Amino acid sequence: MKHLTTYKNIMLVILFSLTAAGASAQQQEITAKSAKTWVKSRVWANGLKLKLNSSTNELEFAKQYAANKAAWDKAFEFIRERNLEQIEPGKYPIDGDNVYAMITEAPSKEPEHALWESHQNYIDLQYVIKGKEKIGVAPIESLMITKPYDAEKDFANYSGDGKYFTATPDEFFLFFPSDGHRPNMKVDGYDKVKKLVIKIKEIK
């Protein structure tokens, strides 16, 4: 009986150690270095050939993908498997409220009419299917709020400045809640742009 009790105690210690080790591994933070390596490996792309714009917060991307892999895989699959040049403008469900796509085909805006924005509940994947536009990117803490956050629309507006990129059909952008972005600015010679925006719910 004594041996049995000792055996049970040993097994409990082993079980506790394994459980603690598992919890520790799960809680282990993704570092900026490991995130950079992961993004560069393109394992997340699953065959998607598009480039990821250099403005992307790689650490945030790695964390969000790890926390919600199925949703991200569905988003990338939508881009990979659809003929985006032929698909009609509209809203397309991908995974209920977790992931959905919106396709627009409309004139770009003069810079003075293109506003800075951010979202708190959704991550924006933005991709120019046809045409070109300029997009600004800046940390929201560097911008000044001009329209407070509207929870119903998941939207806030800002003024300020940031870094600007020319968006083309060769690459896509990712904007997280900490990223102010200023899309839809006109590029000379491209009056109309066809664009895809996929909204991916952020994991808090």
Side-chain angles (χ1 to χ4, degrees), residues 84-85 87-90 103-107 130 192-195:
L84 297 177
E85 289 195 11
I87 195 170
E88 292 294 322
I103 291 181
T104 56
E105 192 162 13
K130 286 194 293 188
K192 185 183 281 190
V193 171
K194 185 173 187 181
K195 188 172 180 180

Side-chain angles (χ1 to χ4, degrees), residues 53-167:
N53 182 265
S54 61
S55 67
T56 301
N57 184 329
E58 294 175 327
L59 181 58
E60 198 61 34
F61 180 25
K63 287 180 177 179
Q64 287 293 320
Y65 185 93
N68 202 11
K69 181 180 183 299
W72 284 91
D73 288 346
K74 288 175 184 177
F76 292 133
E77 181 183 15
F78 183 91
I79 302 173
R80 196 174 59 247
E81 301 298 330
R82 298 289 186 109
N83 188 334
L84 297 177
E85 289 195 11
Q86 293 185 6
I87 195 170
E88 292 294 322
K91 183 176 178 179
Y92 295 84
I94 298 176
D95 182 19
D97 290 334
N98 292 319
V99 189
Y100 61 91
M102 296 179 293
I103 291 181
T104 56
E105 192 162 13
S108 296
K109 299 176 181 178
E110 295 297 334
E112 61 268 23
H113 299 303
L115 302 177
W116 286 96
E117 62 184 58
S118 76
H119 319 288
Q120 291 186 17
N121 293 325
Y122 283 92
I123 299 154
D124 269 12
L125 185 161
Q126 297 198 12
Y127 170 58
V128 170
I129 300 167
K130 286 194 293 188
K132 290 183 181 181
E133 72 175 37
K134 280 190 178 179
I135 297 179
V137 186
I140 57 172
E141 61 265 23
S142 71
L143 304 172
M144 184 176 296
I145 295 173
T146 57
K147 186 176 180 182
Y149 178 70
D150 184 328
E152 187 176 341
K153 296 180 179 178
D154 190 34
F155 206 87
N157 287 128
Y158 306 83
S159 63
D161 208 357
K163 190 172 182 181
Y164 292 87
F165 300 85
T166 299

Side-chain angles (χ1 to χ4, degrees), residues 2 5 17 39 50 62 75 79 105 111 124 130 137 163 168-170 174:
K2 185 177 179 181
T5 302
S17 299
V39 170
L50 296 178
I79 302 173
E105 192 162 13
D124 269 12
K130 286 194 293 188
V137 186
K163 190 172 182 181
T168 72
D170 294 327
L174 289 176

